[in-house]
């Protein structure tokens, strides 16, 4: 059975992925994570950084797993693909950073607006800046990159950079898509995800 693990962005809510999940085959197992202490999610004193998010996500990887990640969740998705290479069969990154310097690629600064929208979110989310650029070329699983042409937070150049770094990757641009295209344009990206996963090993 196909197992798809959905990782949200810094908004933290699992419901972000529900529109896409509803459009994927019903026989697939779907796991939706929320991030404690991010967005409006309840705090958990044991979650204080990306290592803790990775620990939470890794618990869900008990066998062959497809990882689908949005925005900041891509940092965790990349680490899962690297550290659980024998189990993560495919990776899908949507409007993500993956742990590269997006500001150098024209990304709009998001932290002040995030703090205004989510004043109770844990401070580490706007302070930690992981750098996985040296590790990303080691991702071995087939990777689908989906970007919106109107995304200011993770602009198209970020997707192009990740496509250049990840050996077995394919980049698809969604015309007019913004940073939330995974939720708002789910009908457009569902066929891309299904096609990508048809060859799961």
């Amino acid at each position: 059975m196909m197992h798809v693990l959905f990782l949200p962005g810094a908004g933290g809510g699992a419901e972000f992925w529900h529109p896409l999940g509803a459009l994927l085959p019903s026989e697939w197992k779907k796991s939706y994570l929320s991030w404690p202490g991010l967005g409006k999610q309840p705090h958990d004193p044991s979650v204080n950084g990306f290592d803790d998010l990775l620990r939470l996500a890794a618990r869900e990887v008990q066998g062959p797993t497809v990882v689908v990640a949005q925005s900041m969740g891509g940092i965790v998705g990349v680490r899962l693909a690297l550290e659980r290479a024998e189990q993560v069969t495919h990776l899908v990154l949507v409007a993500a950073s993956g742990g590269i310097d997006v500001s150098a690629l024209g990304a709009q600064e998001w932290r002040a607006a995030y703090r205004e929208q989510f004043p109770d979110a844990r401070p580490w989310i706007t302070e930690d800046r992981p750098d996985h650029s040296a590790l990303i070329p080691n991702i071995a699983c087939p990777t689908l990159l989906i970007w919106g042409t109107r995304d200011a937070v993770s602009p198209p150049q970020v997707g192009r950079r990740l496509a250049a770094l990840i050996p077995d990757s394919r980049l698809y641009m969604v015309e007019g898509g913004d940073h939330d295209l995974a939720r708002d344009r789910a009908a457009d990206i569902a066929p891309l995800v299904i096609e990508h996963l048809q060859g799961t090993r």
Side-chain angles (χ1 to χ4, degrees):
M1 177 189 295
M2 184 86 69
H3 178 212
V4 184
L5 174 61
F6 293 94
L7 308 179
E15 66 276 4
F16 179 90
W17 283 114
H18 290 171
L20 176 62
L23 296 174
L24 300 182
S26 59
E27 65 270 20
W28 292 2
K29 177 184 176 183
K30 295 144 193 161
S31 300
Y32 302 91
L33 284 190
S34 291
W35 300 134
L38 301 190
K40 297 180 180 180
Q41 301 303 307
H43 290 196
D44 179 338
S46 70
V47 177
N48 297 291
F50 284 103
D51 286 346
D52 296 318
L53 298 189
L54 178 64
R55 170 176 51 81
L56 294 178
R59 289 178 183 171
E60 302 295 324
V61 181
Q62 300 297 325
T65 302
V66 173
V67 175
V68 180
Q70 149 76 9
S71 191
M72 178 281 297
I75 292 173
V76 181
V78 161
R79 288 189 59 184
L80 275 178
L82 290 167
E83 297 181 22
R84 295 292 189 94
E86 295 302 314
Q87 294 167 302
V88 176
T89 63
H90 282 63
L91 181 63
V92 179
L93 300 177
V94 186
S97 75
I100 64 173
D101 184 3
V102 297
S103 62
L105 298 170
Q108 174 182 292
E109 175 54 52
W110 59 275
R111 292 170 179 82
Y114 180 86
R115 279 284 153 218
E116 184 175 344
Q117 184 178 2
F118 303 115
D120 296 326
R122 296 296 299 273
W124 67 263
I125 189 57
T126 50
E127 296 169 356
D128 290 2
R129 303 191 185 197
D131 182 1
H132 297 148
S133 53
L135 298 174
I136 287 173
N138 295 321
I139 294 175
C141 64
T143 301
L144 175 64
L145 306 167
I146 303 177
W147 255 252
T149 60
R150 294 186 180 179
D151 187 347
V153 177
S154 185
Q157 191 56 31
V158 176
R160 295 187 186 102
R161 177 61 178 153
L162 285 171
L165 288 173
I166 302 173
D168 188 2
S169 64
R170 179 169 64 95
L171 174 62
Y172 188 90
M173 291 287 178
V174 177
E175 186 63 38
D178 61 18
H179 198 59
D180 292 327
L181 81 149
R183 179 192 65 202
D184 301 339
R185 302 279 296 272
D188 292 325
I189 72 170
L192 303 174
V193 173
I194 293 169
E195 178 186 6
H196 180 61
L197 303 185
Q198 282 178 340
T200 297
R201 62 176 185 261

